[in-house]
């Protein structure tokens, strides 16, 4: 059973930065997909970034809305997933979720993930 625990959320002003972490425990596949999703009030959950590691190579996919501003990474030795968020905008506000799935390719489809963290709130003010 995989457990995912996010941390690092908070409130920042537009243009600021935050770094989210997701500590994974239980049975995890280093070659399987992990991702960050977010959900704003009244909106559907959307994929932000996904990563799959194959040896020393990482394959990454970003949503168009965060390209150039967000960076996803993972430390397999620590079983930890990260999301570095820079140049934050008010529209980045929402609950951010860490997810782990069994696909061996990057995907931003929430249906491809069977394990979810509890979420961490990110609020960006003007």
């Amino acid at each position: 059973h995989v457990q995912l625990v996010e941390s690092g959320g908070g409130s920042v002003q537009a243009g600021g930065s935050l770094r989210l972490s997701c500590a994974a425990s239980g049975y995890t596949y280093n070659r399987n997909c992990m991702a960050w999703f977010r959900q704003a009030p009244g909106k559907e959950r959307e994929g932000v970034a996904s990563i799959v590691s194959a040896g020393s190579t990482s394959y990454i996919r970003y949503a168009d809305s965060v390209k150039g501003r967000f960076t996803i990474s993972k430390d397999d030795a620590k079983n930890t997933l990260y999301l570095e968020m820079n140049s934050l905008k008010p529209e980045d506000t929402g609950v951010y979720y860490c997810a782990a799935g069994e696909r061996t390719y990057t995907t931003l489809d929430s249906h491809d993930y069977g394990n979810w963290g509890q979420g961490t709130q990110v609020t960006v003010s003007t």
Side-chain angles (χ1 to χ4, degrees), residues 58-126:
S58 291
Y59 299 91
I60 292 172
R61 178 184 300 216
Y62 293 104
D64 289 342
S65 58
V66 306
K67 281 181 181 177
R69 300 188 298 121
F70 290 12
T71 301
I72 187 172
S73 62
K74 61 198 290 271
D75 186 331
D76 289 336
K78 296 181 179 180
N79 275 344
T80 302
L81 181 72
Y82 303 98
L83 185 68
E84 185 76 33
M85 304 185 295
N86 298 312
S87 302
L88 283 162
K89 304 176 181 179
E91 51 264 43
D92 294 319
T93 294
V95 178
Y96 282 68
Y97 298 91
C98 172
E102 296 186 1
R103 304 296 187 200
T104 55
Y105 52 84
T106 57
T107 170
L108 296 179
D109 185 342
S110 61
H111 297 96
D112 290 327
Y113 296 87
N115 299 286
W116 296 84
Q118 82 289 350
T120 184
Q121 177 70 45
V122 171
T123 303
V124 185
S125 59
T126 57

Side-chain angles (χ1 to χ4, degrees), residues 1-2 6 13 17 26-28 37 47 51 58 61 68 70-71 74 113 115:
H1 177 65
V2 177
E6 302 98 335
Q13 290 189 324
S17 300
Y27 192 43
T28 59
F37 286 77
I51 186 169
S58 291
R61 178 184 300 216
F70 290 12
T71 301
K74 61 198 290 271
Y113 296 87
N115 299 286

Side-chain angles (χ1 to χ4, degrees), residues 1-18:
H1 177 65
V2 177
Q3 289 187 312
L4 305 171
V5 180
E6 302 98 335
S7 61
S11 297
V12 295
Q13 290 189 324
S17 300
L18 283 173

